[in-house]
Every structure is written in C-alpha cells, then in structure tokens.
Amino acid sequence: MNTLRRVIRNDHFPSAAALGGVVLFWSVGMFGGLSLLSKSHPPLETLAWLLFTYAFVVLSAAAGLWAVGDLWRRLSRRWKRTPDS
C-alpha cells in the first residue's frame, strides 16, 4: 500500500497517466476504430460518431503533447539539478 501511495504522490504521475491514456486510446483506435464505418448506419448516427471521434482525437493529441512537454520539463529540471560525477 505504501508503494501505491508513493507512486500516486510522485510528481510525474499525472503526466504519465495522461500519456498512458492517450497511448491506450490510439492503440484501441488502430485495432478497431473504423468498425462503425464497415456497416450501414443512418447518416445522423454516423455523423455524430465521426464528430465525437474527431473531438476525442483532437483532445487526446493535445493531452499527449501536454503530457510529453510536462514530463520533458520535469526531467530536464531533474537533470540540471544532478551534480556531475
């Protein structure tokens, strides 16, 4: 239990969790994201699904870029503080 608390309280956890979610979303999307378009559906349902998917793609890309930038900033700060051996 202490290990879990230490991981969750780590400074890198929010960014790493967001990046993990983005990677999971894109992985699932690559393996089955176009299944809706393979069958005939009403046009309004297809449009709603495409708009929802488009919004999710844009938001996930923004979250991924934010997470990578945040992790890079935190790690570069840590590298600068580490004294040379």
Side-chain angles (χ1 to χ4, degrees):
M1 195 63 155
N2 287 333
T3 305
L4 181 62
R5 277 195 194 130
R6 200 171 340 135
V7 168
I8 291 176
R9 290 183 181 176
N10 189 343
D11 288 343
H12 301 22
F13 179 74
S15 296
L19 190 58
V22 168
V23 168
L24 180 67
F25 169 74
W26 283 93
S27 310
V28 169
M30 282 180 15
F31 291 117
L34 296 177
S35 63
L36 179 75
L37 299 176
S38 64
K39 299 176 186 168
S40 179
H41 293 283
L44 190 56
E45 182 181 343
T46 304
L47 179 63
W49 176 253
L50 288 174
L51 287 174
F52 172 75
T53 305
Y54 176 71
F56 230 69
V57 164
V58 169
L59 291 175
S60 72
L65 288 174
W66 170 79
V68 167
D70 188 50
L71 285 171
W72 182 264
R73 180 182 56 87
R74 290 177 189 273
L75 290 174
S76 66
R77 236 193 271 163
R78 177 180 284 182
W79 291 330
K80 287 179 184 176
R81 278 190 281 159
T82 305
D84 292 330
S85 304

